[in-house]
Amino acid sequence: MKDLVMEKNEMVTKGQILEAIEKYFAADARTVDFTGRKANSKQEAIDGQKQTVELIKKVNEISVHRVGVGDDVTFAEFIFDLDMKDGSKIYWHEIIQSNWKNGKIVYEEYYKGL
């Protein structure tokens, strides 16, 4: 499990967010983020993230700071520092909880950090 989450996190830090979802999510994976946005399948998660990715002008930083691994659950603390096409800036300190089954993510929740 540790290898899987480390590989996924490396993809995310390289900006390969959509590719990470494609590779690591189960077809029926569900997600929910701190804004209340939900996805009820891998395809819905990809579609939702595509909309966000298309709004990004420049990635200043995507970094992972801490990772925790338990029984079929992982946690990762990320910083996302982005310049958006509309001129706004996004700085997210985010905790990502991933629930795994058979090497795939079946549920992922995103918590807003401080």
Side-chain angles (χ1 to χ4, degrees):
M1 172 103 43
K2 184 176 180 182
D3 289 343
L4 290 174
V5 73
M6 298 306 272
E7 291 169 13
K8 175 186 172 269
N9 290 347
E10 184 176 345
M11 290 179 78
V12 172
T13 62
K14 291 179 179 177
Q16 300 170 338
I17 297 167
L18 298 174
E19 295 87 344
I21 294 170
E22 183 64 46
K23 183 173 182 176
Y24 293 103
F25 276 38
D28 61 349
R30 295 178 305 111
T31 66
V32 63
D33 71 20
F34 53 83
T35 69
R37 183 172 67 172
K38 295 178 182 182
N40 292 306
S41 68
K42 175 167 60 174
Q43 190 57 54
E44 281 186 24
I46 289 170
D47 293 345
Q49 285 300 325
K50 263 187 200 175
Q51 291 175 357
T52 301
V53 168
E54 290 172 355
L55 299 175
I56 298 170
K57 178 180 178 181
K58 180 182 175 198
V59 174
N60 299 310
E61 175 187 5
I62 301 176
S63 56
V64 62
H65 296 272
R66 291 176 192 85
V67 176
V69 179
D71 294 334
D72 295 327
V73 64
T74 59
F75 295 89
E77 176 188 15
F78 277 90
I79 297 294
F80 293 88
D81 182 0
L82 313 167
D83 292 339
M84 307 307 282
K85 289 179 181 174
D86 68 1
S88 65
K89 293 184 177 285
I90 289 180
Y91 186 87
W92 284 326
H93 175 219
E94 187 171 79
I95 311 300
I96 300 175
Q97 171 195 330
S98 304
N99 294 30
W100 298 76
K101 183 177 180 182
N102 300 322
K104 296 288 186 183
I105 294 168
V106 294
Y107 178 77
E108 195 162 79
E109 189 160 348
Y110 311 97
Y111 300 93
K112 187 173 183 179
L114 301 173

